[in-house]
Amino acid sequence: MELTVDQALQKGVAAHKAGNLKEAEKLYRAILNTRQNHPDANHNLGVIAVRAGKVLEALPHFKKALEAKPNTEQFWISYIETLIKLGQLNDARQIFQKGKTFGLRGDKIDLLKAKLSNKSGAIPPAEADSNSPSKQQIDELIALYTNSTPQEALIFAKKLIVQFPDDHLIPNILGAFYTALGKHNAAIKNFSKSIEINPYFVEAHNNLGNTLNELGKHDEAISSYNRAIELKPDYPEAYNNLGNTLNELGKHDEAISSYNKAIELKPDYPEAHNNLGKALNELGRHDVAIAVLNNAIKLKPRIAEVHNNLGIALNEIGKHTEATASYNNAIKLKPNYATAYANLGVSLSYMKVKKYSNSLANNYLGVLNSETIARPSDLINSIIILLKHNETIKESISKYHSLTLSSVAPEICNRLSEIPLFMKIMEICPIPDLEIEGLLTELRKLLLLKSANFPNKTKLVTFQSALALQCFTNEYIYKETITEKASIKSLEESLQKAYLCNGEMLPYDIACLASYRSLFNYEWSAAVFPPQDLDLLFKRQVVEPSQETLSKKVIPRLKTIKDETSLAVQEQYEENPYPRWINAGLEVNSMRPAEFVAKMKLQIKKDIDSLSDTPKILIAGCGTGQHALETASRFKDSHV
């Protein structure tokens, strides 16, 4: 005879009470085959699942029971306690608040409230036989880390672990402390301990994934994120973090799916929108990325990374002016944002303006003043285009062409020295423009030969110093007339005599000589205390060459070179280290080889995971070292 639903439930409950769980489960499932939303059958199946340690499987049964019969107090209690076991405390609190509207009250409800008031979700010490710290202790721990030294927080956390060895929250917090301190192995140990105590604590799985990702252990990180998602399918942060790891591995399509899931679960999640835009950029879908990133800015306008990624997308579709504005927004929000400065440099290198702009000039200056963001040679052509629209420079070039510089040379030099960007490029890199080269060559000659006609030489020293640095950097390539050579010879003798006789050595004369010959060639240069206007000139032409000479003595060599040709080549490179450089374009974000291969989409025969995390790299013919330094900055923990 076939049982009715009520009869099957009675038999199931009886079997359940008698401890015959298999029979009880069989009867409950038979009921659900007929009535899938039956509240008591669902609830009791959930209870059996929890007892069997299958807490995650219990959750949907409790949820269905509660939806079908929301006035049953025990259904609320079972559902909330299961969420706590899974570490889904925010969800548990939300359900608790909802339950209060249905009139939840009594001792069991008060106990639930106490559990939820504790950040760990554990029963307070008075009710949990002192197995968990109090909310006050957890608050004190976090306050110590936030407002005091990390060491004090670590000491207090370790005391709590000794006092409460079975609490899962403390090692998770301790893991976060170690992550912030860059001690990733210690962080992993603590997150793993938290998971060992409570395998359903999703936050620890997510945190473990983040730390593994930092260490480049991407496959393990993905496993941790997937476990967090398995435990809590509506966990947007885990989907977002999973997307980040997939994106780093070059799996952009999979990353995009993960970001979209995070946004589906949490539409107002600006970080996920930002990361989605970044992944779309990687795939070349820049128009879509721009829309996504603009949406992220609407949600939260003050995230520097979003403006930076928007700049990347705009730059890629040729909107360099708009890209520059986005990078500037990022830098305003985060003044030391090296990545934004580097990207700004890339955008500026493409600019071909039709009029001069002080704000744009200041952008170039910002990048050049950073010293390690970009090679000046990558920017110089676009800078020259901008500067040649400057009225002073246009007038100066015009007077050079019309052979009328002689009468106005001091005025022109002083006006040029008031253009910071022009002075900057004179100081740090060769200027590859024939008109500017002609102008500077002629001004150098006039400053040497007509000095007696210039009444106020002190004002000219600033320009002269920059000119001398330009000539030093370009290896004194400007042509000299016979008259100039004779005048330089006379100037050398005059300065030497002044030095030997303790006479006055004018900064004007020193700078004038330095624009034709390196000061390092003169013995007196090391003994002279330079005036402030010539500090940088002496640093480049005297101090740094001295340091190079000392370094040469301690650099190990494989064998002594005796071959005449090799010695001649060595002498040439040491006297004229071409290309002489001041600023370098170092990588802002170094990568491991596997990350680099994925990012560049390189086809390699080896398995990507077999690539060394501490590579040895040979630069065959590294010139004056710029290539070697930039390579060393590109690859994390490399030996070049």
Side-chain angles (χ1 to χ4, degrees):
M1 185 179 76
E2 198 170 298
L3 294 173
T4 66
V5 168
D6 288 342
Q7 288 171 333
L9 180 62
Q10 289 173 7
K11 281 184 170 289
V13 170
H16 197 159
K17 288 179 178 178
N20 189 353
L21 299 184
K22 284 187 177 180
E23 179 62 22
E25 182 179 354
K26 180 181 175 182
L27 289 162
Y28 295 146
R29 291 196 182 280
I31 294 170
L32 294 181
N33 285 336
T34 305
R35 289 170 56 185
Q36 63 178 5
N37 293 322
H38 192 283
D40 296 292
N42 267 307
H43 176 264
N44 294 348
L45 258 182
V47 172
I48 291 173
V50 170
R51 185 168 175 179
K54 300 176 180 179
V55 184
L56 192 61
E57 292 180 19
L59 203 59
H61 289 298
F62 289 142
K63 187 176 181 181
K64 286 180 181 178
L66 191 56
E67 288 171 350
K69 202 173 179 182
N71 292 316
T72 304
E73 179 186 273
Q74 186 56 51
F75 290 179
W76 291 97
I77 293 171
S78 297
Y79 189 30
I80 292 167
E81 285 189 333
T82 304
L83 287 168
I84 292 172
K85 281 189 173 75
L86 290 170
Q88 299 179 24
L89 300 184
N90 287 334
D91 292 345
R93 292 183 183 110
Q94 288 175 13
I95 298 298
F96 181 81
Q97 292 301 323
K98 188 176 179 181
K100 285 172 68 176
T101 64
F102 283 86
L104 289 184
R105 60 178 55 86
D107 292 343
K108 289 184 179 180
I109 302 306
D110 290 340
L111 181 57
L112 264 185
K113 183 178 180 181
K115 287 183 183 182
L116 292 170
S117 68
N118 188 325
K119 291 190 177 183
S120 68
I123 301 171
E127 289 137 6
D129 198 22
S130 301
N131 286 328
S132 298
S134 67
K135 181 178 183 297
Q136 182 180 353
Q137 287 172 308
I138 294 296
D139 288 344
E140 183 181 349
L141 173 58
I142 294 171
L144 264 178
Y145 182 76
T146 305
N147 305 317
S148 189
T149 63
Q151 285 73 19
E152 287 182 67
L154 289 173
I155 291 168
F156 186 60
K158 288 174 182 176
K159 285 181 180 178
L160 288 180
I161 281 182
V162 173
Q163 189 177 352
F164 307 105
D166 296 325
D167 182 79
H168 64 280
L169 184 66
I170 302 170
N172 181 59
I173 295 173
L174 193 53
F177 290 174
Y178 278 123
T179 299
L181 292 169
K183 297 181 177 181
H184 295 107
N185 289 326
I188 288 172
K189 181 179 177 182
N190 279 279
F191 291 137
S192 299
K193 179 67 176 176
S194 178
I195 291 165
E196 181 186 330
I197 295 169
N198 183 356
Y200 304 102
F201 189 23
V202 292
E203 186 180 329
H205 286 285
N206 183 56
N207 289 340
L208 177 60
N210 290 339
T211 308
L212 289 166
N213 191 48
E214 280 286 321
L215 288 174
K217 298 181 177 181
H218 301 305
D219 289 338
E220 293 177 54
I222 289 170
S223 295
S224 288
Y225 295 136
N226 281 329
R227 179 59 178 153
I229 290 165
E230 180 187 339
L231 290 169
K232 187 180 179 184
D234 57 346
Y235 194 2
E237 288 76 13
Y239 279 107
N240 179 60
N241 293 333
L242 173 60
N244 290 341
T245 303
L246 292 166
N247 205 38
E248 282 184 37
L249 290 173
K251 298 178 179 180
H252 307 306
D253 287 316
E254 293 178 51
I256 286 170
S257 296
S258 200
Y259 294 137
N260 279 327
K261 183 64 177 177
I263 292 167
E264 178 189 325
L265 292 168
K266 189 178 177 182
D268 59 343
Y269 191 179
E271 290 80 7
H273 285 275
N274 175 51
N275 292 329
L276 174 58
K278 185 178 178 181
L280 289 164
N281 271 339
E282 296 282 359
L283 284 176
R285 296 168 61 186
H286 305 300
D287 289 329
V288 183
I290 289 168
V292 168
L293 292 163
N294 277 322
N295 195 33
I297 290 170
K298 287 178 185 175
L299 289 169
K300 196 171 182 180
R302 299 188 61 80
I303 301 179
E305 288 75 11
V306 182
H307 291 280
N308 176 63
N309 289 330
L310 178 58
I312 292 171
L314 291 164
N315 192 59
E316 288 293 336
I317 62 172
K319 295 186 176 181
H320 307 304
T321 303
E322 293 176 47
T324 299
S326 285
Y327 295 135
N328 280 321
N329 287 335
I331 291 164
K332 283 176 188 173
L333 293 168
K334 194 174 175 181
N336 297 320
Y337 194 2
T339 301
Y341 270 113
N343 290 333
L344 176 61
V346 173
S347 187
L348 290 171
S349 69
Y350 291 108
M351 300 282 273
K352 293 181 180 179
V353 298
K354 295 184 178 179
K355 64 178 183 178
Y356 184 76
S357 159
N358 275 323
S359 63
L360 191 55
N362 288 333
N363 274 321
Y364 283 108
L365 267 176
V367 174
L368 295 176
N369 285 335
S370 297
E371 295 186 351
T372 59
I373 291 298
R375 285 190 179 193
S377 58
D378 292 338
L379 296 170
I380 191 63
N381 289 324
S382 59
I383 289 174
I384 288 169
I385 292 171
L386 172 68
L387 287 173
K388 289 180 81 170
H389 287 296
N390 179 280
E391 289 303 321
T392 296
I393 292 175
K394 283 166 67 176
E395 181 185 344
S396 302
I397 291 172
S398 174
K399 289 187 179 299
Y400 159 68
H401 283 307
S402 63
L403 306 178
T404 57
L405 266 179
S406 181
S407 61
V408 293
E411 179 194 347
I412 290 293
C413 290
N414 288 331
R415 285 172 61 191
L416 289 173
S417 68
E418 292 171 356
I419 307 171
L421 180 58
F422 186 62
M423 296 293 283
K424 188 69 179 181
I425 62 169
M426 284 178 68
E427 291 172 355
I428 66 171
C429 68
I431 302 174
D433 181 84
L434 287 175
E435 288 185 313
I436 294 177
E437 180 179 323
L439 170 66
L440 294 178
T441 302
E442 185 64 18
L443 287 173
R444 181 180 71 161
K445 181 171 74 171
L446 292 170
L447 290 169
L448 173 67
L449 301 180
K450 303 286 184 180
S451 63
N453 301 334
F454 304 152
N456 189 355
K457 295 180 182 178
T458 305
K459 281 187 71 177
L460 292 168
V461 172
T462 301
F463 178 81
Q464 277 186 300
S465 177
L467 177 58
L469 288 168
Q470 172 63 202
C471 295
F472 177 70
T473 305
N474 70 30
E475 302 293 341
Y476 295 100
I477 199 172
Y478 294 168
K479 65 181 180 181
E480 297 176 13
T481 63
I482 294 173
T483 307
E484 285 172 274
K485 291 181 188 294
S487 188
I488 283 295
K489 184 71 176 172
S490 175
L491 183 57
E492 288 174 329
E493 292 170 355
S494 173
L495 286 168
Q496 178 70 9
K497 183 178 179 182
Y499 169 67
L500 293 174
C501 299
N502 291 321
E504 185 179 11
M505 302 177 74
L506 296 175
Y508 180 98
D509 292 337
I510 294 172
C512 206
L513 176 62
S515 65
Y516 284 90
R517 307 283 186 268
S518 171
L519 296 178
F520 183 66
N521 296 325
Y522 305 98
E523 290 182 9
W524 52 261
S525 65
V528 171
F529 188 77
Q532 189 173 351
D533 287 346
L534 298 183
D535 272 351
L536 183 59
L537 178 59
F538 268 73
K539 179 177 182 286
R540 295 264 179 82
Q541 289 199 11
V542 180
V543 177
E544 289 176 356
S546 298
Q547 291 172 338
E548 289 167 11
T549 301
L550 291 172
S551 296
K552 183 168 69 172
K553 294 176 182 178
V554 298
I555 294 173
R557 60 183 69 196
L558 297 177
K559 62 179 181 179
T560 302
I561 298 172
K562 297 179 180 179
D563 177 74
E564 288 186 9
T565 303
S566 295
L567 289 171
V569 171
Q570 176 184 329
E571 184 181 5
Q572 173 199 315
Y573 270 99
E574 289 180 356
E575 286 187 5
N576 299 91
Y578 182 83
R580 188 184 291 277
W581 55 275
I582 310 301
N583 290 9
L586 304 185
E587 288 291 333
V588 175
N589 300 306
S590 58
M591 291 178 280
R592 291 179 175 81
E595 294 170 327
F596 181 79
V597 167
K599 182 177 176 64
M600 302 304 293
K601 300 180 176 64
L602 301 179
Q603 300 297 315
I604 60 172
K605 291 183 179 179
K606 279 188 172 184
D607 176 26
I608 191 170
D609 291 326
S610 70
L611 296 172
S612 173
D613 283 341
T614 55
K616 293 182 179 179
I617 302 169
L618 173 67
I619 305 295
C622 61
T624 56
Q626 192 167 197
H627 184 189
L629 284 172
E630 290 176 355
T631 301
S633 72
R634 180 174 298 119
F635 295 104
K636 192 177 290 184
D637 301 324
S638 61
H639 180 82
V640 177

